[in-house]
Amino acid sequence: MTDHIIWQKSSFSGPDDNQHCVELAVADGQILLRESDDPDTIVTTNRDKLRAFLLGVKAGEFDHLI
């Protein structure tokens, strides 16, 4: 499934392959997320749900989990 997908990582991640980060891709209208050090595990969501999650993170809605 992931062979034809173009994954994008943050520009804050260095070129070193030892720096693990979250990677994003778009496929079939869905947003795909994976951890670079575990590329076989992929989370699938859509733009609206990802947007709501990111807004929640920025607003501190999940701070109690850390």
Side-chain angles (χ1 to χ4, degrees), residues 39-52:
D40 293 330
T41 302
I42 299 171
V43 175
T44 303
T45 189
N46 63 42
R47 290 180 187 271
D48 292 336
K49 289 179 181 177
L50 180 59
R51 181 178 185 275

Side-chain angles (χ1 to χ4, degrees), residues 1-10 20-25 31-44:
M1 172 188 168
T2 61
D3 291 339
H4 65 282
I5 296 173
I6 299 172
W7 292 94
Q8 177 180 342
K9 67 178 183 174
S10 171
H20 305 299
C21 63
V22 174
E23 299 174 321
L24 296 169
I31 304 291
L32 308 178
L33 297 100
R34 71 179 185 182
E35 186 72 32
S36 62
D37 62 337
D38 188 13
D40 293 330
T41 302
I42 299 171
V43 175
T44 303

Side-chain angles (χ1 to χ4, degrees), residues 54-65:
L54 293 175
L55 289 173
V57 169
K58 289 179 181 181
E61 292 179 23
F62 306 103
D63 288 355
H64 66 283
L65 298 173

